[in-house]
């Protein structure tokens, strides 16, 4: 009488398994299990420590592209009007370029150095009127962005795939657009 119940139970359990699902096999050799040898079980890998969830380790080698300012000096950039920067292999700027918010840059490893735009030349002699620039309303936080760039000494990729430029007590968080 016991045999039909066992067979029936096995048939019911087998019908519950999804098609193609591997059937579990009992472990017959406990000699390799930590609890049978008295050794401590290895800690379970947390999502943050697993290779798939590890932060990007790629170095930032260029600021070429279009960037959205997401943070200034550690605070989120939550303004009514967004602030975007454009870059190429040598410079980072705010449009329109005629507003002269342009910085050249050089990246070496995680170090970065910003300076005046390439070909800017020396400043005009005292008393000489500056070269005409376009007339455009400037965003209020734009000087803060330039201050952060001027003070910057490091550039790193964040876990969220942003670019954090920092140094001299200032920082700028950018995300590619």
């Amino acid at each position: 009488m016991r045999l039909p119940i066992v067979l029936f139970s096995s048939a019911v359990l087998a019908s519950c398994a999804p098609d193609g699902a591997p059937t579990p096999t009992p472990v017959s050799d406990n000699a390799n299990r930590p609890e049978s040898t008295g050794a401590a079980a290895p800690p379970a890998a947390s999502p943050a420590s697993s290779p798939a969830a590890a932060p990007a380790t790629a170095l930032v080698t260029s600021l070429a592209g279009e960037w959205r300012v997401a943070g200034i000096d550690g605070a989120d950039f939550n303004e009514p009007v967004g602030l975007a920067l454009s870059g190429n292999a040598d410079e980072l700027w705010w449009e329109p370029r005629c507003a002269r918010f342009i910085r050249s840059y050089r990246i070496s490893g995680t170090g970065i150095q910003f300076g005046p735009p390439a070909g800017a030349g020396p400043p005009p002699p005292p008393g000489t009127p500056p070269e005409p620039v376009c007339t455009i309303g400037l965003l209020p936080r734009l000087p803060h962005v330039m201050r952060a760039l001027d003070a910057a000494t490091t550039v790193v990729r964040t876990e969220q795939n942003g670019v954090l430029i920092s140094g001299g007590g200032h920082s700028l968080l950018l995300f590619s657009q």
Side-chain angles (χ1 to χ4, degrees), residues 49-72:
S49 66
S50 68
T57 57
L59 292 175
V60 177
T61 58
S62 174
L63 297 176
E66 301 298 318
W67 301 94
R68 174 181 61 88
V69 174
I72 301 174

Side-chain angles (χ1 to χ4, degrees), residues 123-129:
T128 305

Side-chain angles (χ1 to χ4, degrees), residues 91-112:
E91 293 179 328
L92 190 64
W93 65 88
W94 178 72
E95 289 286 349
R97 284 180 67 100
C98 62
R100 295 192 188 154
F101 285 94
I102 306 166
R103 297 294 185 271
S104 64
Y105 70 89
R106 187 180 64 203
I107 297 174
S108 177
T110 59
I112 192 165

Side-chain angles (χ1 to χ4, degrees), residues 72-73 143-152 165-167 170-172:
I72 301 174
D73 292 339
H144 300 131
V145 168
M146 293 299 140
R147 180 186 62 212
L149 293 176
D150 291 339
I165 300 170
S166 61
H170 299 286
S171 66
L172 189 62

Side-chain angles (χ1 to χ4, degrees), residues 69-95:
V69 174
I72 301 174
D73 292 339
D76 288 343
F77 185 81
N78 292 323
E79 302 290 322
V81 177
L83 203 158
L85 301 174
S86 298
N88 62 25
D90 304 312
E91 293 179 328
L92 190 64
W93 65 88
W94 178 72
E95 289 286 349

